[in-house]
Amino acid sequence: MTQDLETMRDHMLVAVEAAAGLDALDAVRVDALGKQGRITQLLKSLGRMSPDERQSEGPRIHGLREAVAGAIAARKEALEAALLDVRLRSETLDLTLPVDPAPEGRVHPVSQVMDELAEIFADLGFAVASGPEIEDDWHNFTALNIPETHPARAMHDTFYVEGIVARAAGGEPGSPSDGGGSATDAPPRMVLRTHTSPVQIRAMTQGKPPFRVIAPGRVYRSDWDATHTPMFHQVEGLVIDRGITLGHLKWTLETFLKAFFERDDIVLRLRPSYFPFTEPSAEVDVGYSLVDGRRRLGGQEGWMELLGSGMVHPRVIENCGLDPAEWQGFAFGVGVDRLAMLKYGMDDLRPFFEADGRWSRHYGFSALDLPTLSGGLSA
Amino acid sequence: MKFTLSWLKDHLETDADAATVADALTRGGLEVEEVRDPGAPLRPFRVARVLTAERHPQADKLQVLSVDAGDGPMQVVCGAPNARAGMLGVFGPPGAYVPGSGITLKVAAIRGVESRGMMCSTRELELGEDHDGIIELPADAPVGASYPDYAGLTDPVFDVNVLPNRPDCMGVRGIARDLAAMGLGTLRLFHVEHLVGQGAGPVVATETPACPAFYARTVSGVRNGDAPEWMRRRLAAIGQKPISALVDVTNYVSVDLGRPLHVYDAGKLRGPLMAREAREGEEVAALNGRTYTLPAGATVIADEAGAQDIAGIMGGEATGATPATTDVLIECAYFEREAIARTGQALNLTSDARQRFERGVDPGFLDDGIEHATRLIFDICGGRPSEVTRAGAPPTARATVAYDPALCARLGGLDVHPDRQRVILASLGFTVSDDWTVTAPGWRPDIDGPADLVEEVIRIEGVDRVPPVELPRAPGVAKPTASPAQRVERRLRRAAAARGLDEAITWSFVSGPQADAFGGAAWVVANPISEELRAMRPSLLPGLLAAASRAQKRGEAGSRLFEIGRRYGADAERPTLGLVLAGEAHARGWRNGRATGFDAFDAKSEALALLVAAGAPVDNLQVFADAGPAWHPGRSGTLRLGPKTVLAAFGALHPLTLKAFDLEGEAVAAELYLDAIPARKGTATQRVPYAPTALQPVRRDFAFTVPAGLTADALVRAVKGADKAAIRSARLFDLFERDGVRSMAVEVVLQPPGERSFTEEELKAVSDRVVAAAAKQGATLRG
């Protein structure tokens, strides 16, 4: 008997190994373990045995069954793996085929720079203010100490605008109809704001001191050549508090420009200048060095004009209903487009407003290049 | 404002060179735009002697010269009739650029004879018009010397940007005074010698408050030839064409002392001269050759024949001094600044006189001004000066400021000793009393308060000496510095770019027709740069469509553009996001075959995604087919929150809109009205506790046949509203039309409310309610 079982096992294991496919293997399984299978028969015969016989034969028959069943399972796995392998081999793709690139949108450098400025100035405690672009004469000029016949108006190349629809009375804050301090009943003459400075007036008339704001936005001058466009961007800065001096202005501008250009060697030169709404006034130059014939900010081999600034004129503070004996401070204004050009090396202003995809792919920023102080402004 | 270094040194005793002066000017607030060396282009030219002159063997009109320019004889072929042995002239060696003829000299054979350079005429060196012969220099001219050095073409010319608050620096003397205060030298005394007049002065009067003072004097028997060489040279150096001695004197005094004058030919005037308001429609033919119709309120100087001069701006052609003038009338008047500015603006006429009068000339300098001019005219042209007639009187009030020297540190951040402040102010012409009452000189009309004096002190002391002081940090926890609206714009910008849209910044102004297509402009620019940039945009789409059209013309396959900016309404400027999708959405490819374009649903999908990014509630938005005439009437709509609040418009554009922008193919667009998006409520950082549903949701599909005209939204809303407790969401997932019958299939997600599954009865009840709700819309369950 023992001999028979061993022979049977050997034959069966040979048959298992010899099975070339899953069908053949299943035939071997049926022959051994099917309902009428030889091992099944042997297992059934156990019931007819005496207890002693069963004691000795049982484990052997079960052992046989396990050995054969295990071999079949292993063989099946091997055959299936081989089949899968064959199938996968037939499924090869040319993975060098191109895929559709996801369209990559770009953020305009002016927006990027405005975000950078907001970040830098938030750290200095400046809120972001805004005002209308269609501005009344009073906010754009008169309140800023530029009366009608002032020669400084000639420096402004103002666009005048006319309303086609009669304007609603009142209006919401920040709307052009919010006349602020204009005293006359006649509809005020409207202009496209020539600078962001009227936001100074709006900030001071609408809030309570102290003030610390920046106001970025579009401004307009009737001028169009290689270096001027009729629309461009400025950012205004305003600090009104007790005891603010020209020294604070200097520190703030140095801190801002070093942070913005991400260079410690930024050197500023203040020159006395004239703006009707500041007194004293200073034009600020920034030093550059020449690297391979190109100007690079930092150092002081030469100077380029960058921005205008000064201590807010006492009359402007008065115009906003504040007492200049108590409240004083500084203001500055700088071209955002120009900051972008200097920082990111653009030579020409005009493409800024042409919405040319080639330009924006070259100079634009990825959506995720969010400037932060912790991550770096331009990193 | 231009002047030369030697001119400056007439008023300023200094050893400073041009670079030092330029640096000081800039530091003091007079920005130097240029310092030009007038001799620079003539640097290679040298004084030379003609050693021999012989006939050219091949040409009658040419001579062969041997020339010595300091390094031995050189052979030069010359065509000038005055070239002869022994004379001295100006030699240009090979390599020199001849500015008057635009050529660079080289060694060349002229009719077979080698010529190594050139003897030059006045015109060739752009020093004058003479081209009849070569320049002849005096016998003592040093051979070999640099010609520009010898000729004195070494006087550097400064071009200074004088800002409107500094009329005093519209004269060389004022600039010298500033430099002296800065320590660059000593201001020279300026002494005006008054000439005793013979006979009564001319009859003049003023009857307008715009001309408080009108002084005049005649000089008879003058010879109005050329002004002297030194004066002509200085005027030429600053770009003013010398005209005649009388006119040149007025121009010279204007630049030298900032005092404009006018000279009339007294023989051409009829009767007394009067400063008065222009009559309606009155005209003046001005010296620039143009005739001006004067605006109301303009001031003129008139004789009995009419207006002869646009007062303070430009003289008249008819009565101006000419070379034939023998009797001259000198006008020295004081005009109100505003009056001149208004007239100048109205006429759009700029002149040296206007620039000075509207900034404010020194009202204390009328007597000296007219005397100084008379002295110059007398010295140059001779003649007999009359007495001075003085009609009216210039204002005598001077700005007086109660000054506290401590303000310098308090406002300017620079601690300057009061004694030093006193010295600075005095050197600029201010009078400082013991109690610090400061009186401004007449030439400083800009001074009107203590802050102005701080500026003066700091300007002279050096603004670069103000030490930077850290701005103190605001106490407390930092608050967000951007407003909620600004945060929304920032999020949207990044979201749109992340979705593959390129940010554009387009003009705020568009053409009238472009604005009309999108609802019409509420504002137009009265003085636009061009008609294309006239109407303040009522929508961001015109600018973006124009950009897409340009991209198409450049051959770009597709444009995905967005802009965040304002649209300009009658009552407000409204923050807006516009986007345009044009051309190819997907390029042709091996997977999808042909290129595909954008459709209205692409626009809807962008609009919804961006509304989500903006924090708008989008679950309950309704679509209305009322986007406007610029849009495809059947393929566009607005997205509304409730019946009134329009959050966005989207869809395909009207073919005529596309045509107007010269866009080929389809283009779709969307515009988000950011001002309409409700502000998000609550700023609490704490959220409600997380409570996941206990059981999985159950999904049931319903297929309906629907009547024509029933929108997907109406059906889905009806289905969703059938059982608010059980139905969590409903979504249309299939849509087809067969044999004229439209079918829509809706997937309904049911959420068991508690810890217990729905029973079959409950599911049946919900299902029945869904079918009934759909039936109310005319939809029937498909069998």
Side-chain angles (χ1 to χ4, degrees):
Chain A
M1 189 65 195
T2 308
Q3 198 65 43
D4 290 349
L5 284 181
E6 283 184 4
T7 309
M8 185 188 289
R9 188 185 68 186
D10 289 348
H11 282 134
M12 283 182 175
L13 291 182
V14 168
V16 166
E17 284 310 308
L22 287 172
D23 291 347
L25 182 63
D26 203 47
V28 176
R29 184 189 62 80
V30 171
D31 176 52
L33 300 168
K35 275 186 184 166
Q36 303 301 322
R38 286 186 281 160
I39 294 175
T40 312
Q41 296 301 331
L42 284 174
L43 286 167
K44 281 181 185 166
S45 71
L46 279 175
R48 298 189 297 269
M49 288 180 191
S50 67
D52 282 352
E53 259 181 332
R54 202 181 300 148
Q55 188 80 27
S56 69
E57 286 303 308
R60 293 158 51 104
I61 295 172
H62 279 292
L64 171 65
R65 192 191 66 85
E66 271 163 36
V68 172
I72 290 172
R75 180 67 184 154
K76 188 178 178 197
E77 201 174 304
L79 285 171
E80 279 174 350
L83 273 177
L84 184 63
D85 197 45
V86 169
R87 197 187 92 210
L88 292 184
R89 272 175 208 284
S90 73
E91 289 175 356
T92 306
L93 296 178
D94 175 2
L95 294 177
T96 67
L97 280 167
V99 293
D100 279 351
E104 200 187 356
R106 291 272 154 180
V107 169
H108 197 286
V110 165
S111 302
Q112 185 75 11
V113 164
M114 285 192 179
D115 283 353
E116 292 182 22
L117 296 175
E119 203 64 18
I120 292 167
F121 280 101
D123 189 47
L124 300 175
F126 286 65
V128 183
S130 65
E133 293 164 21
I134 298 175
E135 186 57 281
D136 60 69
D137 196 272
W138 189 82
H139 281 94
N140 195 73
F141 290 122
T142 312
L144 288 161
N145 203 26
I146 317 175
E148 192 155 333
T149 52
H150 200 289
R153 283 207 182 189
M155 296 162 31
H156 277 240
D157 300 316
T158 311
F159 280 121
Y160 294 93
V161 289
E162 291 161 355
I164 287 182
V165 186
R167 72 195 1 241
E172 55 201 64
S175 74
S177 54
D178 179 35
S182 62
T184 56
D185 287 340
R189 188 164 60 152
M190 305 302 286
V191 300
L192 292 183
R193 66 177 179 193
T194 55
H195 47 184
T196 42
S197 304
V199 186
Q200 286 183 33
I201 305 299
R202 292 187 176 272
M204 284 193 274
T205 51
Q206 287 166 9
K208 272 191 189 158
F211 299 105
R212 226 180 253 207
V213 295
I214 57 166
R218 293 184 177 198
V219 298
Y220 305 86
R221 305 253 175 122
S222 178
D223 200 357
W224 203 350
D225 58 31
T227 53
H228 298 88
T229 47
M231 176 187 96
F232 57 103
H233 298 83
Q234 275 188 350
V235 62
E236 192 82 2
L238 173 73
V239 171
I240 296 289
D241 206 332
R242 295 182 174 92
I244 297 293
T245 75
L246 203 57
H248 292 109
L249 167 64
K250 220 168 169 178
W251 180 86
T252 304
L253 291 176
E254 271 176 15
T255 306
F256 146 49
L257 291 169
K258 283 179 180 176
F260 177 73
F261 290 111
E262 301 171 71
R263 299 185 66 93
D264 272 320
D265 63 349
I266 295 287
V267 189
L268 301 188
R269 182 178 78 172
L270 270 65
R271 279 185 290 113
S273 188
Y274 170 67
F275 307 104
F277 38 97
T278 50
E279 190 77 44
S281 304
E283 189 92 33
V284 178
D285 298 338
V286 60
Y288 61 81
S289 10
L290 289 170
V291 180
D292 300 329
R294 271 181 79 92
R295 290 174 176 191
R296 197 203 61 196
L297 291 190
Q300 35 191 321
E301 281 178 55
W303 301 95
M304 63 174 94
E305 277 184 44
L306 188 63
L307 60 88
S309 66
M311 300 303 293
V312 179
H313 198 291
R315 194 168 300 131
V316 173
I317 293 178
E318 251 168 41
N319 287 343
C320 296
L322 300 175
D323 177 6
E326 182 179 7
W327 300 104
Q328 65 184 39
F330 63 78
F332 62 87
V334 56
V336 178
D337 319 85
R338 183 158 159 70
L339 285 176
M341 290 170 79
L342 286 173
K343 181 164 182 176
Y344 293 108
M346 300 130 186
D347 294 329
D348 192 354
L349 172 65
R350 289 167 294 187
F352 274 61
F353 310 117
E354 287 171 359
D356 184 332
R358 298 167 300 179
W359 186 86
S360 64
R361 279 188 291 279
H362 187 84
Y363 285 116
F365 292 81
S366 148
L368 301 179
D369 285 341
L370 191 65
T372 61
L373 289 180
S374 62
L377 291 177
S378 64
Chain B
M1 169 73 191
K2 289 183 181 173
F3 60 92
T4 71
L5 184 61
S6 75
W7 198 337
L8 177 72
K9 288 185 176 180
D10 277 3
H11 294 282
L12 184 70
E13 194 176 336
T14 180
D15 299 331
D17 60 9
T20 312
V21 168
D23 181 57
L25 288 168
T26 297
R27 277 189 291 115
L30 290 162
E31 190 188 340
V32 177
E33 305 208 318
E34 191 192 14
V35 182
R36 194 169 53 84
D37 171 7
L42 300 183
R43 210 42 83 203
F45 294 85
R46 278 178 287 160
V47 176
R49 181 187 304 281
V50 179
L51 301 174
T52 61
E54 286 161 15
R55 280 257 315 267
H56 190 289
Q58 310 292 331
D60 284 349
K61 293 193 172 170
L62 295 180
Q63 297 187 80
V64 180
L65 311 181
S66 173
V67 169
D68 177 16
D71 17 75
M74 295 261 233
Q75 181 170 290
V76 171
V77 176
C78 180
N82 64 334
R84 63 191 184 278
M87 73 174 290
L88 283 96
V90 183
F91 171 71
Y97 175 78
V98 184
S101 56
I103 57 166
T104 300
L105 296 173
K106 49 182 190 262
V107 180
I110 298 174
R111 296 275 188 107
V113 176
E114 190 185 64
S115 180
R116 309 183 68 90
M118 178 178 177
M119 296 298 286
C120 305
S121 72
T122 311
R123 190 164 84 194
E124 281 159 344
L125 299 187
E126 287 192 324
L127 296 171
E129 290 304 306
D130 186 10
H131 195 51
D132 295 338
I134 56 175
I135 297 171
E136 290 197 44
L137 299 177
D140 60 355
V143 169
S146 153
Y147 175 68
D149 286 349
Y150 165 74
L153 296 170
T154 49
D155 196 5
V157 182
F158 292 81
D159 188 354
V160 172
N161 180 20
V162 178
L163 294 165
N165 63 327
R166 294 298 305 277
D168 60 315
C169 291
M170 294 301 285
V172 179
R173 184 162 182 82
I175 291 171
R177 187 185 300 111
D178 244 40
L179 291 171
M182 292 178 72
L184 210 72
T186 312
L187 188 66
R188 291 186 200 271
L189 282 176
F190 180 70
H191 178 66
V192 178
E193 196 185 330
H194 289 219
L195 283 165
V196 178
Q198 300 164 19
V203 181
V204 300
T206 173
E207 61 170 25
T208 166
C211 177
F214 183 1
Y215 291 10
R217 165 182 239 180
T218 53
V219 184
S220 31
V222 297
R223 292 173 311 275
N224 187 16
D226 281 349
E229 178 67 21
W230 62 269
M231 184 181 282
R232 290 159 55 85
R233 191 175 270 188
R234 278 188 180 168
L235 289 174
I238 64 167
Q240 292 204 8
K241 199 175 163 206
I243 295 167
S244 68
L246 291 174
V247 176
D248 291 356
V249 164
T250 63
N251 290 336
Y252 188 82
V253 173
S254 180
V255 174
D256 191 39
L257 302 169
R259 180 7 105 175
L261 303 155
H262 183 57
V263 283
Y264 298 88
D265 185 327
K268 294 177 183 164
L269 294 171
R270 288 207 230 139
L273 272 184
M274 168 79 81
R276 60 163 168 82
E277 270 195 27
R279 308 213 161 98
E280 199 176 329
E282 199 164 14
E283 291 185 343
V284 172
L287 281 168
N288 63 1
R290 293 182 55 191
T291 298
Y292 292 89
T293 305
L294 298 166
T299 308
V300 295
I301 309 294
D303 65 2
E304 285 171 357
Q308 301 300 345
D309 176 276
I310 309 170
I313 298 177
M314 194 170 281
E317 182 78 63
T319 54
T322 68
T325 299
T326 53
D327 296 342
V328 62
L329 185 147
I330 309 167
E331 166 202 312
C332 181
Y334 184 84
F335 300 107
E336 290 295 344
R337 295 157 64 182
E338 293 203 355
I340 299 298
R342 271 183 222 282
T343 306
Q345 281 169 16
L347 295 175
N348 195 21
L349 176 59
T350 328
S351 70
D352 283 357
R354 173 187 164 188
Q355 281 190 347
R356 288 171 174 79
F357 279 120
E358 74 180 1
R359 286 166 153 90
V361 301
D362 181 1
F365 194 71
L366 268 70
D367 277 305
D368 278 354
I370 199 164
E371 288 292 350
H372 183 62
T374 310
R375 161 58 72 180
L376 285 171
I377 287 174
F378 176 76
D379 285 352
I380 297 165
C381 309
R384 293 177 311 282
S386 73
E387 288 173 357
V388 176
T389 308
R390 296 179 179 82
T396 51
R398 301 286 179 269
T400 301
V401 177
Y403 182 60
D404 174 3
L407 190 64
C408 188
R410 217 162 58 226
L411 185 68
L414 188 64
D415 206 355
V416 181
H417 193 279
D419 292 349
R420 169 75 184 139
Q421 296 196 44
R422 207 176 265 277
V423 168
I424 289 172
L425 291 171
S427 66
L428 291 170
F430 292 81
T431 315
V432 186
S433 74
D434 290 343
D435 67 348
W436 284 96
T437 302
V438 180
T439 307
W443 58 80
R444 291 301 300 270
D446 59 307
I447 301 296
D448 72 350
D452 295 290
L453 300 181
V454 171
E455 177 169 74
E456 291 306 299
V457 171
I458 290 193
R459 187 170 73 77
I460 298 300
E461 194 67 4
V463 68
D464 51 334
R465 293 181 52 196
V466 175
V469 179
E470 185 167 347
L471 200 60
R473 235 167 215 291
V477 174
K479 295 185 183 63
T481 59
S483 68
Q486 287 158 353
R487 287 214 293 276
V488 163
E489 287 186 22
R490 285 189 204 166
R491 285 172 60 88
L492 272 177
R493 175 172 295 115
R494 303 281 160 183
R499 293 184 61 81
L501 300 166
D502 261 338
E503 188 183 13
I505 296 181
T506 68
W507 305 124
S508 303
F509 12 59
V510 298
S511 75
Q514 285 176 355
D516 290 342
F518 287 88
W523 299 91
V524 291
V525 178
N527 54 334
I529 284 211
S530 75
E531 283 303 309
E532 297 301 301
L533 306 176
R534 195 173 118 78
M536 296 308 290
R537 62 185 184 189
S539 158
L540 274 54
L541 299 182
L544 294 173
L545 288 168
S549 170
R550 289 195 298 271
Q552 199 170 60
K553 286 184 182 54
R554 280 196 304 269
E556 291 191 25
S559 294
R560 301 158 193 257
L561 295 170
F562 80 101
E563 177 170 8
I564 296 175
R566 301 178 183 186
R567 58 191 209 283
Y568 303 87
D571 58 343
E573 295 169 18
R574 303 183 183 280
T576 309
L577 181 149
L579 67 92
V580 163
L581 308 170
E584 287 182 1
H586 295 282
R588 63 183 174 163
W590 60 271
R591 296 173 82 182
N592 304 317
R594 273 200 238 172
T596 52
F598 295 99
D599 64 22
F601 293 101
D602 292 314
K604 183 180 182 185
S605 132
E606 292 300 332
L608 285 172
L610 293 173
L611 282 172
V612 169
V618 293
D619 288 343
N620 272 310
L621 297 187
Q622 280 182 275
V623 177
F624 284 70
D626 61 347
W631 304 79
H632 188 300
R635 296 184 177 176
S636 66
T638 54
L639 288 168
R640 294 190 178 207
L641 183 66
K644 284 190 181 160
T645 310
V646 181
L647 296 188
F650 72 94
L653 290 158
H654 198 289
L656 292 178
T657 305
L658 300 179
K659 199 175 162 202
F661 285 92
D662 206 7
L663 263 167
E664 281 175 29
E666 292 276 315
V668 302
E671 196 158 46
L672 273 58
Y673 309 124
L674 308 183
D675 54 316
I677 296 174
R680 274 201 276 194
K681 291 184 198 109
T683 51
T685 51
Q686 292 275 318
R687 315 268 172 106
V688 293
Y690 177 54
T693 50
L695 296 169
Q696 281 196 11
V698 180
R699 287 164 211 280
R700 288 285 183 277
D701 293 348
F702 297 86
F704 300 102
T705 55
V706 299
L710 180 67
T711 63
D713 184 58
L715 177 66
V716 171
R717 267 173 204 279
V719 166
K720 201 176 163 193
D723 185 335
K724 291 213 163 104
I727 297 176
R728 194 172 74 184
S729 65
R731 180 176 74 92
L732 183 129
F733 71 91
D734 197 11
L735 172 72
F736 64 91
E737 218 171 308
R738 194 174 296 150
D739 306 330
V741 179
R742 203 166 152 79
S743 298
M744 291 180 183
V746 179
E747 177 194 73
V748 176
V749 178
L750 305 165
Q751 181 62 52
E755 305 247 327
R756 184 180 63 78
S757 301
F758 288 116
T759 63
E760 276 308 312
E761 292 73 34
E762 285 168 337
L763 286 176
K764 171 92 174 45
V766 173
S767 184
D768 289 347
R769 282 194 279 274
V770 166
V771 172
K776 276 193 188 164
Q777 303 292 325
T780 52
L781 200 62
R782 214 146 43 82

